Every structure is written in structure tokens, then in C-alpha cells.
Amino acid sequence: MKGLKLILVMILALLPVTLRAQELDMNEYLFGHVGDSYGWHVTTIKGHPVCIHLPVIVHSKATGWHVFSSKHIEEGEEYEGFRLAGEDEKHSGKLVEVTSLGIEKPLDISITKNVFGLFINSLIVLVVILLGARWYRKHDAREEAPGGFAGLVEMVVMMIEDDVIKPCVGHDYKRYSPYLLTAFFFIFINNLMGIIPFFPGGANITGNIAVTLCLALCTFLAVNLFGNRHYYKEIFWPDVPIFLKAFPLMPLIEIVGMFTKPFSLMVRLFANILAGHMMILGVLSVIFITASMGAVLNGSLTFIAVLFGVFMDVLECLVAFIQAYVFTMLSSVFIGLSRQEPEHE
Amino acid sequence: MSLITPDFGLLFWMTLIFVILFFILAKVGFPVITGMVSQRQDRINDSIRLAKEAEERVRELSSEQARMIEEARKEQAAILRDAASARDAMVSRAQEQAREEAAKIIEQARIQIAAEKETALRDIRREVASLSVSIAEQVVRKDLSDNEAQMALIDRLMDEMSSTKMN
């Protein structure tokens, strides 16, 4: 992230005019959009920010649970002994408790912008799938095929199950397909909602490391909890010359591999979505940066920026699908590898 | 908030939401769809198999039908041939019979004619004899005075006889 900031600063330094702080704070602009926050800033109308205040839930060691609205801490003021940490302090941007010893970080399970976005998007996933499933309760699927929305849901579900899960996982794919389909739809809907620039979309959820960490952890558990004997034998006592096992070089590599697989899943999804958001924001920032450079320059660059913005948005729609697909496919492959039966010699 | 350090609050909520979402969807979402689709797939496969079997049956039946028609045609030909030969036999037998019959009738006719002829000849002979006797009587009864008169008488009698005979 330091490198990214450096590159951005260098790009800004190349611009012929100095950027004044009140014009556009590049740092806040970028990280405010892709990061998390306690309130959901929807837009600003005539200088007044339109903000959805979300509940802050913190547990302090000294004073116990506190639940209050995020509007009390919006401008950095202190409320019930809590305030947002400043930029140059420790835990910058997070809620901290002010004690006699200085500032301390409480246990923080606030409904932040991303959590709220998660609620909304999960509800959408739920509604989409249950609406698709509802059709089958009212119709005899053996007599007719669904059309319209249920048909669309069925098509996507069967595409993932038949083209990804079945060939990758192998014979007992039915056990894993609910998890893999849930992961696919969860990632796909969250990716798409992330592209929508206004409420209720716009929260950068799958571009957040905590979310992808949780997903990768689920795949890790699915792989390692249900791995068969052959899988664990391959890890701890693989078919290699004895000197590679006696000094446990191969087992060591295999154990590291157990963790790098989900780690790569986590980073791949996170980095792809975050980078996409950053690119769109970067392209659009050109409009605001050049606002003070005269109408001709601003106008022509705005035209180019919008053109690139459209291109990036279309690309992101593709990426939204591809990343969900890739996550599902790789999870299926990893699960499939852990369920492989030994080859008969 | 930093981008690459996972935030505990978000991790907590994400885990909670995702696990709940997973359990709901795994219970009432995806299995319903995939189960129904696989049922429909089975049904479609069954239908295709049945259709194939029916087609097979139809093909069998049509070949059976063709075979039956062929058989019927053969039978018809045989019957026609039999009928023709029977007719020929019957006709020739009838002709034979007719010929025999005709020959018999002719034979009988001939015999009858011969018999008739015999009778006729006998009658004629008897007539001639009686005529001769009556002529002789008349000749004898008349006084045979002179020769000339005798001769004239005989001639006249002869003429009468021949004219009666003519008649």
C-alpha cells in the first residue's frame, strides 16, 4: 500500500499545478471510497453531507458495552469516552477509548459501512436464490422448465454446478455444492454491488481483506476437515525418495502449501476487486484534479476520463464474474484434490 | 482503516452473516434447485429412452407388416395358380365327358337307324309279297282267254302296282 501511495504522489507531482488541500485530498478521496467507515456517506448536497448513521458497538474493558449512533463521533468529537483516532495517531481512523493512560483500542463490532453493505447484499443473495427456489415449490419441475427469473437463476446455478463443481470436485460433489454455490453467488453479488457507485451499492466488500479472509478460511476448512487418508498421506509421507522425507523437506513444503492455497484465494479476490475500484476512482479523479486548470483542459480530460470510466466499469463487470468464478473453481479444485482416491498401480 | 489488516469487527460480522447465509441456502435454496433439475434431467432421459424404444417397436412392426403383406401376396398368387389349374382340369374333363356322351349318342342313333332300316325293308318285302299275291290272284281269277288280253292285263296291273308303289 505504501508503494501505491508513492506512485500516486509521483503522478500528482508531475501535474503542472500544485494541488491545494481543500480542492481534493487524494488520500482521503481514494481510501475513503475503498475503505470502511462508521457512517455511510451517500452524497453531499449543497455542502451538507447526506450520511446514513450506523450503530457503533464497542466493548471497553473498563466500562463494558457501549452502543450509540455514529453521528456522535462524526467530526472527531468525543462521545462516552470514545473518539475516532486522528491520522497521525495509533489505530488511525478507528474508534479508540480515551483513558487516563492515553488511548486504547476497544473490542469493536460496530455495524460499519461494510457490515451494513454485507447485510444488504446477503439479503439480495438470499432473495435471489429463494425466489428461484420458490418456483419449484409451486410447479412440478419434471413437467415443465422455469422461465423468466427462476430460469435465469437455474441457468447460473446449473452452469456453476455442471461446469465447475462437478468436474473439479469429483464423485461426491453434492456434499460441497451448497457451499461452493453460496460462495459463488455471495462473491458475485457483492462484486456487482461494489461497482454500483451509489447507495445501496458502492461498499467495497469483496475488496476488503477481512471478507476474503473469511471466505478463504471456509475453503480451508472444507478442504482440510474432509480430506481423506490419501490426502494426508501425501502431505506427511509423500511418494518421494526417503531422504526427502527423513529430513522433512517435502512434508514441510506440503504443509506450507496447505496454507498458501487459501491464502492465494484470499489475496486474489481482494487485490482484483480493490485494484478495479482504485482504477475507476483514479480515472475519475482526473476530472476533479483538472477542475482548476481551465475549461478546455478540464473539458477534454473529462471526456477522456468518462470514456475510460465506462471502459473500466464494463471491465469490472467482467472481473466481478470472473473472480467469483475463479474463486469457486479453485475452491472446487482444492476440495477435489483433498478427496482424490489413490491411483491403483 | 488500513487496507491489508483484517478488521476484527468486520471479520466477526462477515463470519456470522456468511455462516447464516450458507445454512439457509444449503437448507432451502440450492438443493431444491439442483435436486429438481436433476429430477427433470432423469425424466428427460427416461422420455428419450422410451421414445427410442417406441421407435424401435414401430420399426419392428413395420417390418412385420411388410413381411405379412409379402406373405399374403404369395398366398394370393398360389391360390390364383391353383384356381387356374383346377379350371383347366375341369374344362378338359367336361370336354372329355361331352365327347364320350356324343359318341355314345351317335352310336345309339346308328343302331336305331339300322334297326329302323331292317324293319322298313321287312315291311317292304312283306308288301311286295302281298302285292304279288293279290296281283297273281287277280290274274288267276280273270279268264285268261287270249294271250293278248292276258298281256294287256298284266301291263295294266304292273302300272297300277308301280304307281301305288310310287305313292
Side-chain angles (χ1 to χ4, degrees):
Chain A
M1 277 318 107
K2 277 255 162 57
L4 195 71
K5 279 185 193 173
L6 201 69
I7 291 167
L8 280 169
V9 169
M10 278 169 67
I11 291 169
L12 293 182
L14 288 174
L15 290 171
V17 288
T18 48
L19 209 64
R20 277 162 298 172
Q22 63 265 40
E23 273 183 342
L24 182 67
D25 185 347
M26 209 49 200
N27 202 25
E28 198 196 303
Y29 165 76
L30 266 183
F31 294 96
H33 275 91
V34 297
D36 205 352
S37 59
Y38 286 98
W40 194 324
H41 178 236
V42 179
T43 184
T44 305
I45 297 171
K46 288 178 185 160
H48 295 288
V50 178
C51 194
I52 297 170
H53 299 294
L54 298 165
V56 173
I57 307 166
V58 284
H59 181 261
S60 152
K61 272 178 208 148
T63 54
W65 288 100
H66 293 264
V67 179
F68 52 88
S69 165
S70 69
K71 76 178 171 210
H72 299 299
I73 50 151
E74 223 165 31
E75 302 294 328
E77 65 259 51
E78 203 177 305
Y79 186 80
E80 290 185 12
F82 297 96
R83 66 176 174 82
L84 281 176
E87 289 212 6
D88 38 4
E89 281 176 301
K90 236 169 92 182
H91 312 302
S92 158
K94 288 254 167 61
L95 202 66
V96 288
E97 189 180 10
V98 185
T99 61
S100 52
L101 299 168
I103 55 170
E104 206 172 301
K105 196 178 176 315
L107 180 71
D108 184 356
I109 52 166
S110 306
I111 309 289
T112 58
K113 177 185 172 184
N114 278 353
V115 175
F116 192 52
L118 263 177
F119 278 132
I120 296 171
N121 297 350
S122 302
L123 206 66
I124 294 173
V125 175
L126 207 62
V127 167
V128 165
I129 301 304
L130 292 188
L131 271 184
R134 200 179 63 136
W135 185 90
Y136 296 93
R137 295 191 202 288
K138 292 188 171 173
H139 298 76
D140 185 2
R142 284 169 302 175
E143 298 298 334
E144 50 187 328
F149 187 74
L152 177 71
V153 173
E154 183 194 300
M155 190 198 81
V156 179
V157 169
M158 294 323 288
M159 180 192 77
I160 296 301
E161 188 173 74
D162 285 345
D163 295 353
V164 179
I165 298 173
K166 212 182 278 183
C168 290
V169 176
H171 64 280
D172 54 356
Y173 72 94
K174 277 206 159 66
R175 230 171 108 187
Y176 297 97
S177 83
Y179 162 65
L180 292 165
L181 284 167
T182 308
F184 175 81
F185 278 92
F186 180 84
I187 296 169
F188 187 46
I189 299 278
N190 275 302
N191 285 352
L192 286 181
M193 291 299 282
I195 300 171
I196 297 172
F198 43 81
F199 184 82
N204 179 30
I205 292 168
T206 36
N208 189 300
I209 194 105
V211 172
T212 59
L213 174 67
C214 177
L215 288 168
L217 208 63
C218 289
T219 295
F220 178 79
L221 292 178
V223 169
N224 291 293
L225 284 187
F226 304 112
N228 59 10
R229 265 182 53 208
H230 179 66
Y231 170 71
Y232 281 109
K233 184 190 158 280
E234 282 297 306
I235 288 177
F236 293 109
W237 202 250
D239 264 340
V240 288
I242 190 74
F243 65 92
L244 285 173
K245 293 188 275 195
F247 171 74
L249 187 64
M250 283 309 287
L252 206 68
I253 291 172
E254 292 284 352
I255 289 167
V256 170
M258 270 167 72
F259 293 98
T260 52
K261 282 176 196 165
F263 185 79
S264 74
L265 281 181
M266 172 181 86
V267 172
R268 180 181 299 107
L269 181 58
F270 158 71
N272 269 288
I273 303 305
L274 184 68
H277 284 216
M278 287 271 197
M279 281 291 284
I280 293 173
L281 290 168
V283 165
L284 293 184
S285 72
V286 170
I287 299 169
F288 303 108
I289 288 168
T290 57
S292 58
M293 294 180 193
V296 178
L297 193 61
N298 186 223
S300 51
L301 280 175
T302 300
F303 178 73
I304 293 172
V306 168
L307 218 62
F308 265 91
V310 170
F311 171 72
M312 285 306 300
D313 267 334
V314 173
L315 192 69
E316 279 309 293
C317 288
L318 194 64
V319 169
F321 177 78
I322 290 173
Q323 287 308 318
Y325 191 84
V326 164
F327 187 96
T328 313
M329 190 172 74
L330 289 177
S331 294
S332 309
V333 169
F334 296 153
I335 290 171
L337 286 176
S338 78
R339 305 289 300 168
Q340 215 172 31
E341 293 301 325
E343 285 163 35
H344 299 289
E345 280 124 44
Chain B
M1 292 182 181
S2 171
L3 282 178
I4 49 166
T5 47
D7 181 50
F8 173 76
L10 185 55
L11 195 60
F12 166 77
W13 284 110
M14 166 64 192
T15 311
L16 190 71
I17 292 170
F18 190 72
V19 167
I20 292 172
L21 186 72
F22 166 65
F23 275 109
I24 295 176
L25 290 183
K27 201 91 195 147
V28 294
F30 295 117
V32 176
I33 298 177
T34 53
M36 282 297 186
V37 169
S38 76
Q39 270 184 30
R40 187 166 64 224
Q41 229 157 27
D42 289 349
R43 193 184 159 79
I44 291 170
N45 287 343
D46 276 0
S47 302
I48 289 173
R49 193 171 47 75
L50 285 178
K52 230 171 235 164
E53 281 174 11
E55 207 179 327
E56 196 65 28
R57 281 284 301 282
V58 166
R59 201 173 297 132
E60 265 170 33
L61 282 178
S62 77
S63 72
E64 177 102 338
Q65 195 185 22
R67 201 173 51 77
M68 278 166 75
I69 288 174
E70 190 59 32
E71 246 169 44
R73 197 164 288 146
K74 262 184 213 159
E75 211 155 316
Q76 183 196 27
I79 289 170
L80 282 179
R81 210 166 40 240
D82 282 359
S85 65
R87 184 197 60 199
D88 288 351
M90 216 184 279
V91 165
S92 63
R93 204 162 57 235
Q95 274 175 343
E96 192 68 25
Q97 252 172 355
R99 206 172 294 132
E100 277 170 18
E101 199 75 12
K104 222 180 277 174
I105 290 168
I106 290 169
E107 190 61 27
Q108 273 177 350
R110 192 173 291 142
I111 292 167
Q112 213 161 350
I113 288 167
E116 290 288 318
K117 197 167 140 191
E118 201 67 25
T119 344
L121 278 175
R122 218 164 30 237
D123 284 355
I124 290 167
R125 264 187 221 115
R126 201 177 292 138
E127 195 73 15
V128 167
S130 66
L131 275 179
S132 309
V133 169
S134 61
I135 290 169
E137 232 176 44
Q138 285 187 10
V139 169
V140 173
R141 221 180 314 154
K142 198 147 176 194
D143 287 324
L144 296 174
S145 45
D146 60 334
N147 272 352
E148 268 178 56
Q150 280 178 353
M151 279 316 290
L153 181 71
I154 290 167
D155 282 341
R156 207 181 43 154
L157 285 171
M158 282 298 290
D159 283 343
E160 277 173 19
M161 271 171 64
S162 59
S163 69
T164 47
K165 203 179 175 185
M166 282 295 185
N167 295 331

